[in-house]
Protein backbone atom coordinates (compact mmCIF):
# COMPACT_ATOMS: atom_id res chain seq x y z
CA UNK A 1 0.00 0.00 0.00
CA UNK A 2 1.03 3.59 -0.56
CA UNK A 3 -0.66 6.86 0.40
CA UNK A 4 -2.77 8.60 -2.22
CA UNK A 5 -1.60 11.90 -3.74
CA UNK A 6 -3.21 14.07 -1.02
CA UNK A 7 -3.02 11.52 1.83
CA UNK A 8 -6.63 12.48 2.54
CA UNK A 9 -9.95 10.66 2.40
CA UNK A 10 -10.69 12.73 -0.72
CA UNK A 11 -8.14 10.62 -2.60
CA UNK A 12 -11.20 8.39 -3.02
CA UNK A 13 -12.48 9.88 -6.30
CA UNK A 14 -15.73 11.79 -6.00
CA UNK A 15 -15.62 12.40 -2.25
CA UNK A 16 -15.53 15.92 -0.81
CA UNK A 17 -15.09 17.22 2.73
CA UNK A 18 -16.40 20.51 4.10
CA UNK A 19 -15.75 22.02 7.51
CA UNK A 20 -16.94 24.92 9.63
CA UNK A 21 -16.02 26.02 13.12
CA UNK A 22 -16.70 28.80 15.59
CA UNK A 23 -13.68 30.01 17.57
CA UNK A 24 -15.77 31.46 20.40
CA UNK A 25 -17.80 28.27 20.63
CA UNK A 26 -14.62 26.15 20.38
CA UNK A 27 -16.49 23.62 18.32
CA UNK A 28 -17.35 22.77 14.74
CA UNK A 29 -18.66 20.40 12.10
CA UNK A 30 -17.11 18.20 9.40
CA UNK A 31 -19.16 16.83 6.48
CA UNK A 32 -18.32 14.11 3.96
CA UNK A 33 -20.35 14.22 0.76
CA UNK A 34 -20.15 13.44 -2.97
CA UNK A 35 -21.79 14.46 -6.20
CA UNK A 36 -24.10 11.45 -6.01
CA UNK A 37 -25.44 9.20 -3.21
CA UNK A 38 -23.08 6.53 -1.89
CA UNK A 39 -23.38 3.31 0.09
CA UNK A 40 -22.84 3.74 3.82
CA UNK A 41 -22.73 1.60 6.95
CA UNK A 42 -21.77 2.05 10.59
CA UNK A 43 -20.38 0.17 13.56
CA UNK A 44 -20.45 1.47 17.14
CA UNK A 45 -18.08 0.16 19.82
CA UNK A 46 -18.08 2.96 22.38
CA UNK A 47 -20.35 2.88 25.41
CA UNK A 48 -21.69 6.45 25.13
CA UNK A 49 -22.54 7.18 21.48
CA UNK A 50 -24.62 10.04 20.11
CA UNK A 51 -26.03 9.45 16.62
CA UNK A 52 -28.68 10.34 14.07
CA UNK A 53 -30.22 8.05 11.43
CA UNK A 54 -27.77 5.21 12.01
CA UNK A 55 -30.57 2.60 12.18
CA UNK A 56 -31.26 3.06 8.47
CA UNK A 57 -27.68 1.99 7.68
CA UNK A 58 -28.50 -1.65 8.47
CA UNK A 59 -28.39 -3.85 5.35
CA UNK A 60 -32.07 -4.81 5.72
CA UNK A 61 -33.37 -1.22 5.52
CA UNK A 62 -35.15 0.38 2.56
CA UNK A 63 -32.60 3.13 1.87
CA UNK A 64 -29.20 1.77 0.82
CA UNK A 65 -27.37 5.04 0.07
CA UNK A 66 -26.82 8.39 1.78
CA UNK A 67 -26.17 11.94 0.60
CA UNK A 68 -23.70 12.93 3.34
CA UNK A 69 -22.17 11.84 6.63
CA UNK A 70 -21.68 14.33 9.46
CA UNK A 71 -19.18 14.46 12.33
CA UNK A 72 -19.90 17.20 14.87
CA UNK A 73 -18.93 18.60 18.22
CA UNK A 74 -21.57 19.80 20.64
CA UNK A 75 -22.78 16.56 22.22
CA UNK A 76 -26.50 16.01 21.54
CA UNK A 77 -26.86 19.61 20.37
CA UNK A 78 -24.42 18.83 17.55
CA UNK A 79 -26.86 16.39 15.99
CA UNK A 80 -28.66 19.47 14.69
CA UNK A 81 -25.76 19.89 12.25
CA UNK A 82 -27.33 17.06 10.24
CA UNK A 83 -30.49 19.15 9.88
CA UNK A 84 -28.48 22.05 8.48
CA UNK A 85 -26.77 19.74 6.00
CA UNK A 86 -30.09 18.18 5.02
CA UNK A 87 -31.67 21.61 4.44
CA UNK A 88 -28.74 22.67 2.26
CA UNK A 89 -28.85 19.43 0.25
CA UNK A 90 -32.61 19.77 -0.25
CA UNK A 91 -32.08 23.28 -1.60
CA UNK A 92 -29.73 21.70 -4.17
CA UNK A 93 -32.41 19.21 -5.21
CA UNK A 94 -30.63 16.32 -3.51
CA UNK A 95 -32.24 13.51 -1.55
CA UNK A 96 -34.24 10.29 -1.64
CA UNK A 97 -37.20 10.70 -3.98
CA UNK A 98 -40.62 10.41 -2.32
CA UNK A 99 -43.24 11.50 -4.84
CA UNK A 100 -42.39 15.07 -5.76
CA UNK A 101 -40.32 15.55 -2.59
CA UNK A 102 -36.63 14.99 -1.93
CA UNK A 103 -35.49 13.79 1.50
CA UNK A 104 -31.71 14.02 1.99
CA UNK A 105 -30.30 11.09 3.94
CA UNK A 106 -27.74 12.46 6.38
CA UNK A 107 -26.58 10.18 9.22
CA UNK A 108 -24.28 11.74 11.79
CA UNK A 109 -22.41 11.30 15.05
CA UNK A 110 -21.24 13.67 17.76
CA UNK A 111 -18.47 14.06 20.30
CA UNK A 112 -18.59 15.84 23.66
CA UNK A 113 -16.77 19.19 23.78
CA UNK A 114 -19.16 21.23 25.94
CA UNK A 115 -16.67 21.70 28.79
CA UNK A 116 -13.66 22.83 26.74
CA UNK A 117 -13.83 26.50 27.70
CA UNK A 118 -15.82 27.77 24.73
CA UNK A 119 -18.86 30.02 24.98
CA UNK A 120 -21.81 27.62 25.16
CA UNK A 121 -24.36 30.22 26.32
CA UNK A 122 -26.30 30.26 23.03
CA UNK A 123 -30.04 30.81 22.94
CA UNK A 124 -30.38 29.27 19.47
CA UNK A 125 -28.60 26.04 18.64
CA UNK A 126 -25.67 27.03 16.35
CA UNK A 127 -24.96 23.62 14.85
CA UNK A 128 -27.53 23.64 12.03
CA UNK A 129 -25.90 26.78 10.60
CA UNK A 130 -22.44 25.27 11.03
CA UNK A 131 -23.60 22.13 9.22
CA UNK A 132 -24.92 24.11 6.24
CA UNK A 133 -21.73 26.18 6.10
CA UNK A 134 -19.61 23.04 6.18
CA UNK A 135 -21.56 21.48 3.32
CA UNK A 136 -21.16 24.60 1.17
CA UNK A 137 -17.40 24.47 1.82
CA UNK A 138 -17.05 20.86 0.59
CA UNK A 139 -13.92 20.40 -1.51
CA UNK A 140 -11.13 17.95 -2.22
CA UNK A 141 -8.70 19.87 0.03
CA UNK A 142 -9.41 20.59 3.67
CA UNK A 143 -7.58 21.49 6.87
CA UNK A 144 -6.33 18.92 9.37
CA UNK A 145 -5.68 19.45 13.06
CA UNK A 146 -7.67 22.24 14.71
CA UNK A 147 -10.64 22.40 12.37
CA UNK A 148 -14.23 21.27 11.91
CA UNK A 149 -15.56 18.70 14.35
CA UNK A 150 -12.09 18.49 15.92
CA UNK A 151 -11.76 22.22 16.59
CA UNK A 152 -12.34 21.88 20.35
CA UNK A 153 -11.30 18.25 20.72
CA UNK A 154 -8.95 16.84 23.36
CA UNK A 155 -7.34 13.54 24.33
CA UNK A 156 -5.98 12.26 27.63
CA UNK A 157 -2.74 14.20 27.33
CA UNK A 158 -2.73 16.29 24.10
CA UNK A 159 -5.06 18.52 22.17
CA UNK A 160 -7.08 16.53 19.65
CA UNK A 161 -8.34 17.46 16.20
CA UNK A 162 -9.32 16.31 12.72
CA UNK A 163 -7.15 13.76 10.94
CA UNK A 164 -7.15 12.01 7.59
CA UNK A 165 -5.03 9.53 5.64
CA UNK A 166 -5.30 7.36 2.54
CA UNK A 167 -3.88 4.26 0.89
CA UNK A 168 -3.90 2.80 -2.62
CA UNK A 169 -4.00 -1.01 -2.71
CA UNK A 170 -2.12 -3.17 -5.25
CA UNK A 171 -5.50 -3.84 -6.87
CA UNK A 172 -5.88 -0.10 -7.55
CA UNK A 173 -8.65 0.35 -4.99
CA UNK A 174 -8.32 3.46 -2.81
CA UNK A 175 -9.14 3.65 0.90
CA UNK A 176 -9.25 6.74 3.09
CA UNK A 177 -10.04 7.68 6.67
CA UNK A 178 -11.39 10.85 8.31
CA UNK A 179 -11.55 11.17 12.08
CA UNK A 180 -12.36 13.62 14.87
CA UNK A 181 -10.17 12.66 17.84
CA UNK A 182 -11.59 13.57 21.26
CA UNK A 183 -10.59 10.40 23.08
CA UNK A 184 -10.53 9.55 26.76
CA UNK A 185 -7.41 7.51 26.00
CA UNK A 186 -3.89 8.55 25.01
CA UNK A 187 -2.48 8.72 21.47
CA UNK A 188 1.14 8.70 22.65
CA UNK A 189 3.08 6.20 24.73
CA UNK A 190 3.47 7.05 28.41
CA UNK A 191 5.09 10.46 28.93
CA UNK A 192 6.74 10.40 25.50
CA UNK A 193 5.81 12.07 22.20
CA UNK A 194 5.93 8.72 20.37
CA UNK A 195 2.57 7.83 18.85
CA UNK A 196 1.00 4.45 19.50
CA UNK A 197 0.29 4.42 15.73
CA UNK A 198 4.00 4.73 14.86
CA UNK A 199 4.39 1.20 13.39
CA UNK A 200 1.94 2.16 10.64
CA UNK A 201 3.35 5.62 9.84
CA UNK A 202 4.06 6.43 6.20
CA UNK A 203 7.21 8.54 5.92
CA UNK A 204 7.12 11.32 8.49
CA UNK A 205 3.41 12.08 8.20
CA UNK A 206 3.16 12.51 11.97
CA UNK A 207 6.69 13.39 12.95
CA UNK A 208 8.69 10.31 12.01
CA UNK A 209 9.78 9.60 15.60
CA UNK A 210 9.12 5.89 15.24
CA UNK A 211 7.89 3.57 17.98
CA UNK A 212 8.67 4.37 21.61
CA UNK A 213 12.06 2.91 22.62
CA UNK A 214 10.43 1.24 25.61
CA UNK A 215 6.91 0.50 26.75
CA UNK A 216 5.72 1.91 30.09
CA UNK A 217 4.36 -0.44 32.76
CA UNK A 218 0.79 -1.33 31.82
CA UNK A 219 -1.03 -0.40 35.00
CA UNK A 220 -4.81 -0.41 35.00
CA UNK A 221 -5.78 3.05 33.63
CA UNK A 222 -8.08 5.45 35.39
CA UNK A 223 -10.50 7.66 33.44
CA UNK A 224 -9.39 11.29 33.16
CA UNK A 225 -12.75 12.42 31.80
CA UNK A 226 -16.27 11.90 33.01
CA UNK A 227 -19.15 10.14 31.27
CA UNK A 228 -19.68 11.54 27.79
CA UNK A 229 -16.70 13.92 27.82
CA UNK A 230 -14.86 12.01 25.15
CA UNK A 231 -15.41 10.04 21.90
CA UNK A 232 -13.57 9.41 18.64
CA UNK A 233 -15.82 9.44 15.56
CA UNK A 234 -14.57 8.40 12.14
CA UNK A 235 -15.39 7.62 8.53
CA UNK A 236 -13.51 5.14 6.35
CA UNK A 237 -14.20 5.22 2.63
CA UNK A 238 -13.35 3.43 -0.60
CA UNK A 239 -14.07 3.63 -4.31
CA UNK A 240 -14.93 -0.09 -4.33
CA UNK A 241 -18.42 -1.31 -5.14
CA UNK A 242 -19.68 -2.68 -1.82
CA UNK A 243 -23.03 -3.72 -0.43
CA UNK A 244 -24.05 -2.25 2.92
CA UNK A 245 -23.10 -5.55 4.56
CA UNK A 246 -19.62 -5.43 3.01
CA UNK A 247 -19.25 -1.78 4.01
CA UNK A 248 -20.19 -2.66 7.56
CA UNK A 249 -17.46 -5.29 7.65
CA UNK A 250 -14.99 -2.60 6.59
CA UNK A 251 -16.21 -0.35 9.42
CA UNK A 252 -15.80 -3.20 11.92
CA UNK A 253 -12.26 -3.90 10.74
CA UNK A 254 -11.41 -0.18 10.91
CA UNK A 255 -12.00 -0.20 14.67
CA UNK A 256 -8.72 -2.15 14.93
CA UNK A 257 -7.00 1.04 13.78
CA UNK A 258 -8.62 2.99 16.58
CA UNK A 259 -7.37 0.54 19.19
CA UNK A 260 -3.87 0.65 17.68
CA UNK A 261 -3.73 4.44 17.94
CA UNK A 262 -5.61 5.22 21.18
CA UNK A 263 -4.97 3.45 24.49
CA UNK A 264 -7.42 2.62 25.91
CA UNK A 265 -10.18 2.91 23.29
CA UNK A 266 -13.81 1.75 23.07
CA UNK A 267 -14.36 2.49 26.76
CA UNK A 268 -17.76 2.85 28.48
CA UNK A 269 -17.13 6.62 28.57
CA UNK A 270 -16.40 7.01 24.83
CA UNK A 271 -18.93 7.02 22.00
CA UNK A 272 -16.43 5.50 19.55
CA UNK A 273 -17.99 4.94 16.14
CA UNK A 274 -16.88 4.29 12.56
CA UNK A 275 -18.96 4.99 9.46
CA UNK A 276 -18.00 3.31 6.19
CA UNK A 277 -18.65 4.82 2.75
CA UNK A 278 -18.31 3.19 -0.68
CA UNK A 279 -18.74 5.14 -3.90
CA UNK A 280 -19.04 2.02 -6.08
CA UNK A 281 -16.78 3.34 -8.84
CA UNK A 282 -14.61 0.21 -9.05
CA UNK A 283 -15.90 -3.38 -8.98
CA UNK A 284 -14.20 -5.99 -6.81
CA UNK A 285 -12.02 -8.22 -8.97
CA UNK A 286 -11.52 -10.83 -6.23
CA UNK A 287 -14.27 -10.40 -3.61
CA UNK A 288 -12.46 -12.41 -0.92
CA UNK A 289 -9.00 -10.88 -1.31
CA UNK A 290 -10.29 -7.37 -1.99
CA UNK A 291 -12.60 -7.39 1.06
CA UNK A 292 -9.77 -8.72 3.22
CA UNK A 293 -7.39 -6.00 2.07
CA UNK A 294 -10.00 -3.23 2.34
CA UNK A 295 -10.51 -4.00 6.03
CA UNK A 296 -6.79 -4.01 6.72
CA UNK A 297 -6.26 -0.78 4.80
CA UNK A 298 -9.17 0.91 6.59
CA UNK A 299 -7.69 0.02 9.98
CA UNK A 300 -4.23 1.21 8.96
CA UNK A 301 -5.53 4.48 7.51
CA UNK A 302 -7.60 5.18 10.62
CA UNK A 303 -4.63 4.63 12.95
CA UNK A 304 -2.53 7.01 10.85
CA UNK A 305 -5.34 9.59 10.64
CA UNK A 306 -5.72 9.60 14.44
CA UNK A 307 -2.03 10.36 14.93
CA UNK A 308 -2.13 13.05 12.23
CA UNK A 309 -5.04 14.76 14.00
CA UNK A 310 -2.97 15.24 17.16
CA UNK A 311 0.28 15.93 15.30
CA UNK A 312 -1.30 18.74 13.25
CA UNK A 313 -3.33 20.40 16.01
CA UNK A 314 -2.50 24.09 16.37
CA UNK A 315 -2.43 26.29 19.48
CA UNK A 316 -5.39 28.58 20.13
CA UNK A 317 -6.05 31.09 22.93
CA UNK A 318 -7.58 29.38 25.92
CA UNK A 319 -6.29 25.87 25.19
CA UNK A 320 -6.69 23.58 28.19
CA UNK A 321 -4.30 20.94 26.92
CA UNK A 322 -0.82 21.12 25.39
CA UNK A 323 -0.35 20.96 21.63
CA UNK A 324 1.92 18.14 20.46
CA UNK A 325 3.84 20.34 17.99
CA UNK A 326 4.64 22.93 20.66
CA UNK A 327 6.36 20.53 23.06
CA UNK A 328 9.75 19.17 21.92
Amino acid sequence: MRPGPKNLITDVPGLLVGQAQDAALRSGVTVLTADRPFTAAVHVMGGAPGTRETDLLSPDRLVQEVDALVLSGGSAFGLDACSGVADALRAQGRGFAVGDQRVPIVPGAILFDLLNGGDKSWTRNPYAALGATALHAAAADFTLGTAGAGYGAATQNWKGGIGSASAVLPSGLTVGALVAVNALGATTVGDSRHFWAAPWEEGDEFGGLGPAPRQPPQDAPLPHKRMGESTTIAIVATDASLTQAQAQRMAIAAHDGMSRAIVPSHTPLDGDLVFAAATGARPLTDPLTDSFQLGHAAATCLARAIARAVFLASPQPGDRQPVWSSHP
Side-chain angles (χ1 to χ4, degrees):
M1 295 186 297
R2 66 184 189 279
K6 296 179 182 294
N7 201 14
L8 299 173
I9 196 171
T10 49
D11 285 328
V12 176
L15 292 184
L16 304 171
V17 171
Q19 302 194 102
Q21 56 275 326
D22 183 318
L25 187 67
R26 295 184 75 84
S27 187
V29 175
T30 299
V31 177
L32 178 81
T33 190
D35 57 5
R36 59 171 302 279
F38 52 90
T39 300
V42 68
H43 192 255
V44 181
M45 288 191 68
T51 60
R52 166 174 156 154
E53 290 197 305
T54 50
D55 280 355
L56 62 77
L57 298 180
S58 296
D60 61 336
R61 300 298 194 254
L62 171 65
V63 176
Q64 296 290 298
E65 296 180 316
V66 305
D67 297 290
L69 295 169
V70 175
L71 308 178
S72 179
S75 187
F77 300 105
L79 293 175
D80 209 31
C82 299
S83 296
V85 172
D87 288 347
L89 286 166
R90 185 173 185 267
Q92 296 173 6
R94 296 280 302 275
F96 184 73
V98 184
D100 64 352
Q101 295 296 311
R102 291 280 178 172
V103 182
I105 307 300
V106 186
I110 51 87
L111 55 80
F112 189 102
D113 58 5
L114 295 181
L115 303 181
N116 64 3
D119 181 6
K120 309 302 194 295
S121 61
W122 66 76
T123 55
R124 181 180 179 86
N125 188 320
Y127 285 95
L130 285 169
T133 300
L135 180 74
H136 291 311
D141 293 303
F142 58 97
T143 301
L144 301 185
T146 304
Y151 189 85
T155 71
Q156 185 185 107
N157 50 353
W158 299 109
K159 188 173 179 178
I162 281 283
S164 191
S166 70
V168 180
L169 299 176
S171 64
L173 295 172
T174 300
V175 176
L178 175 69
V179 62
V181 183
N182 188 58
L184 181 147
T187 57
T188 51
V189 180
D191 295 329
S192 78
R193 299 174 74 242
H194 294 266
F195 286 100
W196 284 109
W200 293 274
E201 185 175 14
E202 294 286 346
D204 59 354
E205 63 184 344
F206 44 87
L209 297 183
R214 63 181 184 276
Q215 299 295 318
Q218 295 302 303
D219 297 327
L222 295 174
H224 288 262
K225 296 183 180 182
R226 294 174 296 177
M227 180 72 76
E229 292 183 26
S230 27
T231 295
T232 298
I233 46 180
I235 304 169
V236 293
T238 180
D239 54 356
S241 178
L242 301 181
T243 65
Q244 275 194 319
Q246 290 171 320
Q248 187 178 46
R249 290 307 311 177
M250 187 171 73
I252 292 169
H255 275 283
D256 288 354
M258 196 178 296
S259 61
R260 294 170 189 169
I262 301 170
V263 179
S265 57
H266 306 136
T267 77
L269 309 183
D270 287 288
D272 295 346
L273 168 154
V274 179
F275 289 109
T279 65
R282 297 175 65 99
L284 301 181
T285 55
D286 181 336
L288 179 59
T289 299
D290 287 344
S291 295
F292 182 89
Q293 291 184 338
L294 285 171
H296 173 67
T300 301
C301 285
L302 182 52
R304 293 163 49 212
I306 288 168
R308 295 189 82 201
V310 174
F311 173 69
L312 292 168
S314 58
Q316 302 291 327
D319 282 345
R320 295 189 171 187
Q321 284 188 299
V323 177
W324 188 95
S325 62
S326 300
H327 288 259

